């Protein structure tokens, strides 16, 4: 059975620092262990097949379930995610990838709270034969982020759908993305 390793790219979802980004009094909020999950779509620039080829991708989605695992009271209710990344992708082998993501945060009334940017590195893991293909990425959020600056970042992507096939080319992946931000130990 073929292994589908293209799912690895989806996680690291991310973009460029945005100086002067939208913010509010919440922009200085100190959070520890902010965790969010939600659906995302990863789209490859070129279709992925069995041949390992350099490629790029974008990720767009929403993070609709946010909470602080450490019990810190947070105004962050939900957010959006926009990511770009590059790597060498194949349906039959694992490869590292990297990129940048911008998170835009909102409160329960859908008012903007700020933005967080992170550069990340990642890699795939799991057993594709058992439909357990996932990816993990890590990084440190940008110091210019208006929310969660200089936090440790960890993200993961769990595959739920594939557009295309390895024979003709996989063009997109859908799945659930989970992100976790925690105070960095500097």
């Amino acid at each position: 059975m073929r292994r589908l390793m293209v799912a690895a790219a989806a996680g690291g979802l991310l973009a460029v620092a945005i100086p002067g980004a939208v913010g509010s009094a919440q922009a200085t909020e100190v959070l520890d262990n902010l965790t969010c999950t939600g659906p995302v779509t990863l789209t490859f620039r070129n279709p992925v097949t069995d041949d390992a080829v350099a490629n790029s991708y974008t990720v767009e989605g929403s993070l609709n379930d946010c909470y602080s695992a450490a019990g810190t009271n947070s105004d962050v209710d939900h957010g959006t995610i926009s990511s770009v990344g590059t790597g060498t992708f194949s349906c039959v082998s694992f490869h590292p990838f990297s990129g940048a993501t911008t998170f835009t945060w909102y409160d329960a009334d859908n008012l903007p709270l700020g933005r967080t940017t992170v550069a990340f590195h990642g890699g795939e893991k799991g057993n594709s034969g058992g439909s357990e293909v996932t990816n993990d990425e890590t990084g440190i959020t940008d110091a210019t982020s208006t929310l969660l600056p200089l936090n440790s970042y960890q993200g993961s992507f769990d595959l739920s759908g594939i557009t295309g096939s390895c024979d003709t080319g996989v063009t997109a992946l859908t799945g659930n993305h989970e992100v976790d931000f925690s105070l960095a130990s500097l």
Side-chain angles (χ1 to χ4, degrees), residues 2-3 48-52 89-93 166-167:
R2 261 194 230 195
R3 298 178 355 147
V48 176
T49 63
D50 287 348
D51 298 326
F89 302 106
S90 163
C91 287
V92 295
S93 58
C166 291
D167 292 332

Side-chain angles (χ1 to χ4, degrees), residues 84-109:
V84 296
T86 60
T88 300
F89 302 106
S90 163
C91 287
V92 295
S93 58
F94 291 134
H95 298 280
F97 56 90
S98 61
T101 298
T102 297
F103 299 91
T104 305
W105 306 109
Y106 301 90
D107 67 12
D109 295 322

Side-chain angles (χ1 to χ4, degrees), residues 47-186:
V48 176
T49 63
D50 287 348
D51 298 326
V53 176
N55 205 343
S56 62
Y57 65 89
T58 60
V59 175
E60 298 292 332
S62 60
L63 300 171
N64 48 24
D65 184 16
C66 293
Y67 62 93
S68 176
T72 306
N73 189 8
S74 171
D75 289 335
V76 175
D77 179 70
H78 63 282
T80 61
I81 185 171
S82 179
S83 181
V84 296
T86 60
T88 300
F89 302 106
S90 163
C91 287
V92 295
S93 58
F94 291 134
H95 298 280
F97 56 90
S98 61
T101 298
T102 297
F103 299 91
T104 305
W105 306 109
Y106 301 90
D107 67 12
D109 295 322
N110 210 34
L111 296 173
L113 295 173
R115 291 193 179 169
T116 304
T117 58
V118 62
F120 63 87
H121 296 281
E124 305 94 337
K125 68 175 189 173
N127 177 348
S128 61
S131 297
E132 298 171 353
V133 175
T134 63
N135 78 293
D136 286 311
E137 65 266 351
T138 59
I140 300 290
T141 62
D142 192 285
T144 64
S145 295
T146 58
L147 196 62
L148 303 163
L150 297 176
N151 270 228
S152 292
Y153 164 79
Q154 182 168 354
S156 64
F157 175 81
D158 293 313
L159 178 68
S160 64
I162 300 170
T163 301
S165 71
C166 291
D167 292 332
T168 60
V170 173
T171 58
L173 304 172
T174 55
N176 191 55
H177 193 56
E178 180 174 326
V179 297
D180 183 66
F181 299 89
S182 59
L183 297 176
S185 299
L186 300 176

Side-chain angles (χ1 to χ4, degrees), residues 34-47:
L34 177 68
T35 300
C36 298
T37 61
V40 298
T41 299
L42 179 148
T43 305
F44 291 103
R45 179 178 175 104
N46 299 305

